[in-house]
Amino acid sequence: MRRLLGILVLLKYCICGDVQDFDGDIKDFVVGNSKLFVLTDHRLHQMRHDLYEEKRKDITEHNRVNILVPFDANSTLITCGTLKDGYCEVLDINDITNSIYYESNILIGPRQDEKSVAFIAGTSSSRYLLVGKKDDDAKYQDTSYSVVTLWNTLQSQAGGIFSIFSQGSIGSIQSTVRDVEFVDGFQRVSPSESYLFLNTKTDSERKVLVLWMNSSKEKKREIIKSLQAATIRCCSDKARPVLVACTVIPSVNGVIWAGVFSAQNQQDPENSALALYDISNVKGRVKGFCAIGETPCGSESDTELQPLSVVFKYSSMSAVAAVRSGSWIVLFIGTSDGQLIKLMLDEKFTPGCPTVLFKSDDERAVFPRMHFDPVDFKHIYIALRKQLRRVSVVLCAKYITLKDCRAALDPLCGWCVNTQRCSTQDECSDTSWVSIPKNSLQTQLFSFQMAENSSRKISLHLSLSLESTGNPAFSCTFTKESDILCDGSDPPAVFPNCSCSLPDQLQYTGGLRVSATVNIEDQKITETLTLTNCSSITDSLSASHTQCVQCVSSGCHWSSSSKRCEWTHGPGEQLHIQDACKNLLSEMVYNKPAILSLEPNKVSFHGRNNVLLRGRNLESVTKIRIQGDLDCIPKESPVFDRSSDTLRFHIPPSGTKGTVKVCVVTPDDRCHGNSIITYSSQPSCTGIQPTVSWSRSDHFRPLSDQLPHTCICFSIIVGTSY
Ligand SMILES: *[C@@H]1O[C@H](CO)[C@@H](O)[C@H](O)[C@H]1NC(C)=O
Ligand SMILES: *[C@@H]1O[C@H](CO)[C@@H](O)[C@H](O)[C@H]1NC(C)=O
Ligand SMILES: *[C@@H]1O[C@H](CO)[C@@H](O)[C@H](O)[C@H]1NC(C)=O
Ligand SMILES: *[C@@H]1O[C@H](CO)[C@@H](O)[C@H](O)[C@H]1NC(C)=O
Ligand SMILES: *[C@@H]1O[C@H](CO)[C@@H](O)[C@H](O)[C@H]1NC(C)=O
């Protein structure tokens, strides 16, 4: 009986699933008190965090709900709409069918279907409903009109609930700019500060602005008077003057904010950019925005915020959300073509590999606001027109070895020694959770150094790029052709490092291949290392940069004073190649190449042979690098038929439609130029000509550019009939 009950309970949970379709488009959705409130044209739905619908409330005809704000401290949900002359209603947050307060003849949200921002601002002693919207009731001759207003939230406040007045003053920010569009806003809790983000448009230009207010102050007037504002610029490669979506990134120090900016050109594969800013110190004013009563309204000061880092570019991003895990930031990006992308940033905001968590089959745009599951933060809710989805943000369980778990480079996943599974830290009760360290985007799992001590003894120091919350059992074995390599005088291994003292008579000529096997509890990882005699890396023919790279990647030390490769003197001395050898880059002499054109620049996703690149100074080009939007590791292609102003290369097939960036690589591994090739769908087959004969699959060369398009269709037939 108990088991039956268990199944029934399970069934109840399973019916809801991770997708919920509504009978109208989703207009907005918010999270409060561990519940979701989803607004469509016809209804307001109260859902449990697993998308089980608890309650619903119909919306009267000729009404458009334009304010939906959870007021957790009051256990209510504030809704306002356009019915007749407008109204506001306070609902019980645990049962939206229970109306606590209703007031008519009050219009707080926008009358037309326009973007607006609303949230609770203030401190525990004085909370206000802050609303930012374009004032569509303003008469054209008005010189300035309210764009941001503070409304009372409680009956007990002076003037009563939904009053604009308090202590004899009106709290509102005025604007003389006619075209404003509020995109988002939030209140930081301690200290209590409010931020609003908006787009403005005048005859001369479009701008993104941030408005800041000190909401620690008690009185509305004081809050409004604390207004500071600045222009937010994106980006140095091209102007993207329209903010599409944004999020604040949880941070201990400062306020880091991420915005998606658009250049409003859907054809451009880099139309939208995701950039990070430090907005903890908005100081200054902008023209056309001021506290009520101020003349002239605002003033022009030079406060412009420039990005800390631009971390992602894509044709059409539509939404962004972020979580933090230690020093890592994990961004979730929604796109206009219905994808949800996950992107890690390290503490220097260097992005890792983007991964696609979800892709809709019909390219519906992801709604600009996304929310995390308020219960476990392991799911994110995304809205796609009529559909709400709960998408898992951590997929650790799909990695079944420690090595794969590390290779995923996901700061939310680590190897749990106790359960022998790749999992999140909270799922690992054991104290040993082996995860990626801060610098893992720059380091390989295995790195080693060749050291010589003062008695000229050579040893190998191996270091794994891993960290652990505990002290897992750890050991290493080094073998050469299945013989033990080390002479046994080494100190014991300490996670994640071990060393091997090499026999004196060892010959390194031509690079000595040894096998390193590392055991971390029950996990065994083997890697082949090539050991070299550091003092023999002195190929006088190659440039010092090439030698330096070879030296550092062989675990040796590059002496920049003597320009020689040497043994290191112990662990910890090794720098990253980029750091150790960067000073030598400027010594490389070549004329900077440039790409002028690519022919063709549209190819089928089978790829194309003999793409013609025209440019300048192409003599020094070593290869072509091809990078797709969501590719982490770029593809490389050799060059041939090269002259100073033309060369040819093959462009490899691509799994997806879309654009790739093409650049030319010089011997110092730098990439020059940024040209675009578009992969398009293959032409569709309307008929197969019976005259085409085929019998052997080796006649099939889809890459050949001599074949006309019909052959691409033909190749598909070959593939499927086998
Ligand atoms: C919530 O707000 C309503 C309306 O002002 C008020 O009557 C009620 O006392 C408030 N409840 C709490 C817990 O503050
Ligand atoms: C905000 O206002 C409070 C209360 O007046 C004040 O103590 C605090 O210093 C102000 N914060 C800033 C950043 O101006
Ligand atoms: C050099 O290393 C060897 C092997 O680990 C050790 O026996 C020797 O004492 C070391 N010499 C010095 C001076 O540290
Ligand atoms: C390394 O190479 C140098 C120069 O070629 C040579 O003198 C030295 O004996 C070699 N050392 C070892 C340990 O093989
Ligand atoms: C392991 O080696 C690295 C450098 O090789 C060093 O930075 C780190 O402190 C070492 N860790 C331990 C526990 O010895």
Side-chain angles (χ1 to χ4, degrees):
M1 185 58 206
R2 178 177 269 169
R3 189 193 282 163
L4 188 66
L5 211 71
I7 291 170
L8 284 177
V9 169
L10 209 70
L11 264 179
K12 194 177 174 199
Y13 275 87
C14 292
I15 284 165
C16 22
D18 281 341
V19 187
Q20 182 72 47
D21 287 298
F22 296 93
D23 55 2
D25 286 3
I26 296 170
K27 296 288 169 195
D28 198 4
F29 73 109
V30 294
V31 171
N33 194 27
S34 303
K35 292 178 200 300
L36 248 70
F37 299 94
V38 183
L39 178 69
T40 66
D41 275 332
H42 318 297
R43 265 177 279 279
L44 178 63
H45 303 260
Q46 173 183 327
M47 329 269 298
R48 227 161 47 190
H49 77 115
D50 59 1
L51 298 191
Y52 173 82
E53 185 180 271
E54 290 183 325
K55 301 276 173 184
R56 56 162 70 177
K57 185 176 163 72
D58 289 339
I59 293 169
T60 350
E61 236 182 294
H62 309 298
N63 179 22
R64 204 172 48 75
V65 174
N66 54 19
I67 295 281
L68 180 65
V69 175
F71 185 12
D72 279 309
N74 180 256
S75 293
T76 53
L77 181 71
I78 302 177
T79 62
C80 301
T82 56
L83 186 67
K84 294 197 187 113
D85 290 320
Y87 75 96
C88 281
E89 187 169 23
V90 179
L91 308 175
D92 180 350
I93 205 164
N94 295 308
D95 178 1
I96 54 166
T97 58
N98 178 15
S99 173
I100 291 174
Y101 177 80
Y102 188 96
E103 183 172 328
S104 48
N105 295 321
I106 177 168
L107 188 69
I108 288 188
R111 186 182 298 283
Q112 265 85 43
D113 205 352
E114 271 165 359
K115 285 191 190 174
S116 64
V117 175
F119 55 89
I120 303 289
T123 58
S124 53
S125 57
S126 53
R127 287 202 175 87
Y128 302 112
L129 176 65
L130 187 155
V131 179
K133 64 161 183 175
K134 178 175 173 173
D135 190 346
D136 31 32
D137 280 351
K139 284 159 209 72
Y140 196 70
Q141 56 270 37
D142 289 359
T143 47
S144 72
Y145 56 95
S146 304
V147 284
V148 180
T149 313
L150 295 170
W151 304 87
N152 287 355
T153 54
L154 296 175
Q155 207 55 272
S156 51
Q157 283 168 328
I161 190 167
F162 299 129
S163 168
I164 196 169
F165 299 99
S166 92
Q167 291 115 346
S169 68
I170 292 182
S172 89
I173 291 176
Q174 305 285 114
S175 174
T176 55
V177 181
R178 203 134 286 279
D179 228 332
V180 297
E181 178 192 55
F182 282 83
V183 178
D184 212 344
F186 64 90
Q187 145 126 329
R188 199 177 164 209
V189 180
S190 61
S192 181
E193 303 174 313
S194 297
Y195 288 89
L196 286 159
F197 303 92
L198 59 149
N199 290 313
T200 63
K201 190 171 146 194
T202 58
D203 293 340
S204 53
E205 68 176 336
R206 283 172 168 276
K207 268 186 183 177
V208 179
L209 302 182
V210 52
L211 306 183
W212 175 94
M213 278 169 284
N214 183 347
S215 33
S216 317
K217 309 219 181 256
E218 287 284 315
K219 294 182 182 161
K220 286 182 183 176
R221 201 185 154 76
E222 297 292 306
I223 296 177
I224 295 294
K225 270 173 64 186
S226 69
L227 173 71
Q228 300 289 319
T231 305
I232 305 179
R233 294 267 180 218
C234 175
C235 301
S236 55
D237 63 331
K238 74 174 65 123
R240 294 181 185 80
V242 176
L243 182 67
V244 176
C246 64
T247 188
V248 65
I249 298 174
S251 304
V252 182
N253 299 315
V255 187
I256 308 293
W257 172 85
V260 171
F261 295 83
S262 165
Q264 305 267 282
N265 172 11
Q266 294 305 322
Q267 257 53 41
D268 181 352
E270 297 194 335
N271 174 47
S272 58
L274 179 57
L276 267 52
Y277 295 79
D278 180 354
I279 53 162
S280 49
N281 206 359
V282 178
K283 280 265 174 301
R285 298 297 286 273
V286 295
K287 206 169 137 197
F289 288 83
C290 56
I292 186 165
E294 194 180 305
T295 45
C297 188
S299 62
E300 195 86 72
S301 64
D302 287 320
T303 31
E304 282 197 355
L305 300 176
Q306 299 291 343
L308 295 170
S309 178
V310 178
V311 296
F312 195 63
K313 289 178 190 168
Y314 191 74
S315 51
S316 57
M317 286 180 261
S318 62
V320 64
V323 288
R324 190 178 270 280
S325 171
S327 60
W328 296 87
I329 293 167
V330 187
L331 293 171
F332 297 91
I333 302 163
T335 68
S336 304
D337 53 4
Q339 300 185 76
L340 180 66
I341 296 166
K342 179 176 177 181
L343 182 73
M344 335 283 166
L345 307 180
D346 70 9
E347 60 185 344
K348 297 195 176 96
F349 310 123
T350 311
C353 291
T355 50
V356 177
L357 289 180
F358 171 78
K359 193 173 188 335
S360 84
D361 38 18
D362 53 358
E363 309 208 333
R364 282 168 294 181
V366 176
F367 188 76
R369 286 174 197 152
M370 304 193 284
H371 298 284
F372 291 99
D373 184 321
V375 176
D376 69 2
F377 274 80
K378 285 182 189 156
H379 293 86
I380 190 167
Y381 301 101
I382 59 170
L384 299 145
R385 231 174 276 160
K386 288 185 165 63
Q387 191 173 74
L388 192 69
R389 280 189 171 261
R390 184 170 178 263
V391 183
S392 180
V393 298
V394 274
L395 302 164
C396 311
K398 74 175 187 187
Y399 307 107
I400 51 174
T401 61
L402 190 161
K403 195 179 173 191
D404 290 348
C405 189
R406 158 67 171 75
L409 284 177
D410 187 339
L412 305 172
C413 297
W415 186 257
C416 184
V417 166
N418 198 22
T419 58
Q420 298 175 16
R421 281 176 44 195
C422 184
S423 71
T424 57
Q425 190 169 0
D426 67 317
E427 283 162 3
C428 184
S429 57
D430 183 68
T431 45
S432 266
W433 186 67
V434 179
S435 58
I436 57 170
K438 282 181 182 176
N439 62 350
S440 8
L441 292 180
Q442 286 82 37
T443 54
Q444 302 286 324
L445 176 56
F446 279 75
S447 65
F448 68 98
Q449 277 178 273
M450 302 291 288
E452 185 185 51
N453 74 5
S454 50
S455 41
R456 314 215 63 174
K457 183 80 183 159
I458 311 252
S459 54
L460 165 67
H461 293 286
L462 181 71
S463 178
L464 265 65
S465 169
L466 289 173
E467 66 184 25
S468 173
T469 54
N471 209 351
F474 181 72
S475 65
C476 309
T477 330
F478 297 90
T479 54
K480 176 178 158 269
E481 288 152 6
S482 69
D483 294 334
I484 297 285
L485 183 70
C486 324
D487 70 7
S489 60
D490 310 298
V494 178
F495 176 88
N497 299 342
C498 53
S499 49
C500 170
S501 173
L502 300 170
D504 297 332
Q505 67 281 8
L506 209 59
Q507 292 295 311
Y508 304 91
T509 341
L512 178 71
R513 286 163 71 81
V514 304
S515 165
T517 302
V518 171
N519 287 284
I520 304 165
E521 299 278 346
D522 71 319
Q523 292 288 305
K524 182 188 275 195
I525 310 172
T526 300
E527 181 97 353
T528 303
L529 312 175
T530 304
L531 311 187
T532 33
N533 176 345
C534 294
S535 29
S536 68
I537 302 179
T538 49
D539 177 7
S540 57
L541 288 177
S542 55
S544 30
H545 180 260
T546 318
Q547 270 185 47
C548 176
V549 169
Q550 198 192 345
C551 173
V552 177
S553 51
S554 306
C556 306
H557 170 75
W558 178 261
S559 159
S560 44
S561 51
S562 59
K563 294 214 168 140
R564 268 183 39 211
C565 191
E566 298 165 350
W567 302 100
T568 68
H569 298 290
E573 201 179 287
Q574 184 174 291
L575 291 168
H576 299 304
I577 293 169
Q578 294 91 319
D579 296 337
C581 308
K582 68 167 179 262
N583 294 335
L584 298 169
L585 275 176
S586 51
E587 290 176 18
M588 295 203 86
V589 208
Y590 59 81
N591 288 323
K592 197 171 166 241
I595 306 177
L596 297 178
S597 73
L598 290 168
E599 286 166 37
N601 58 14
K602 283 198 173 61
V603 301
S604 100
F605 57 70
H606 289 278
R608 172 83 183 212
N609 277 354
N610 290 318
V611 174
L612 175 68
L613 186 153
R614 291 181 200 279
R616 276 193 304 268
N617 305 326
L618 302 177
E619 302 89 345
S620 54
V621 173
T622 57
K623 56 195 169 190
I624 304 290
R625 197 167 282 164
I626 300 150
Q627 173 107 45
D629 280 332
L630 297 175
D631 290 346
C632 202
I633 302 155
K635 291 179 183 138
E636 291 186 338
S637 214
V639 299
F640 52 94
D641 286 359
R642 181 212 335 243
S643 71
S644 117
D645 51 10
T646 62
L647 57 78
R648 288 181 182 273
F649 66 99
H650 299 330
I651 179 150
S654 160
T656 53
K657 293 187 290 181
T659 55
V660 290
K661 282 174 262 174
V662 173
C663 62
V664 294
V665 183
T666 41
D668 54 3
D669 211 41
R670 271 197 252 194
C671 221
H672 307 265
N674 189 6
S675 292
I676 303 289
I677 284 193
T678 309
Y679 281 100
S680 47
S681 314
Q682 58 216 18
S684 57
C685 287
T686 46
I688 312 292
Q689 292 194 312
T691 49
V692 180
S693 72
W694 44 274
S695 54
R696 289 180 48 184
S697 60
D698 55 354
H699 284 164
F700 155 48
R701 282 176 315 196
L703 271 179
S704 169
D705 49 334
Q706 270 79 49
L707 295 176
H709 275 147
T710 50
C711 292
I712 293 168
C713 302
F714 166 58
S715 72
I716 301 294
I717 303 299
V718 173
T720 50
S721 48
Y722 262 55

